[in-house]
Amino acid sequence: MSTHYIVHVSQAARALRPHDLEDILEEARSYNARHGITGVLLFAEGEGRYRGSFMQLLEGDEAAIEALRKRIFSDPRHHTKERLKNLPISA
């Protein structure tokens, strides 16, 4: 097993209400726990025509991280998805 981390950012596709964010967080916690993934999810609320931005750091097994990245990048709740880093974690 090879431990990796990934950092990515994206833009919310629509205005998100608090319960939308709670749903996303609950889904992420459940999925990540089942797949041995840890990390941090940040959301910055937008103003005006900007609907908000996500930034996430994930760490875990390389294959599990890549499967989750594909799942996240196919999620229609956000767009303009950009992977910033994807590196192995040194011991």
Side-chain angles (χ1 to χ4, degrees):
M1 180 169 96
S2 169
T3 303
H4 271 63
Y5 78 91
I6 182 173
V7 177
H8 67 92
V9 295
S10 65
Q11 299 291 312
R14 60 180 173 79
L16 297 172
R17 296 174 296 236
H19 78 272
D20 295 320
L21 295 170
E22 290 169 8
D23 290 347
I24 290 169
L25 186 57
E26 182 178 319
E27 181 181 340
R29 285 178 173 161
S30 175
Y31 181 94
N32 293 353
R34 290 192 314 272
H35 294 90
I37 297 170
T38 58
V40 175
L41 175 62
L42 303 171
F43 179 74
E45 194 170 1
E47 293 183 17
R49 65 184 181 96
Y50 300 103
R51 297 184 174 118
S53 301
F54 291 96
M55 181 175 205
Q56 188 168 35
L57 174 133
L58 298 165
E59 52 188 19
D61 175 70
E62 183 177 15
I65 293 295
E66 180 57 19
L68 179 54
R69 185 202 63 79
K70 288 179 180 177
R71 178 183 163 121
I72 290 168
F73 279 36
S74 68
D75 187 330
R77 293 176 289 193
H78 54 124
H79 62 87
T80 317
K81 300 151 184 137
E82 175 99 19
R83 179 174 27 196
L84 302 178
K85 292 282 185 185
N86 184 11
L87 297 169
I89 296 175
S90 302

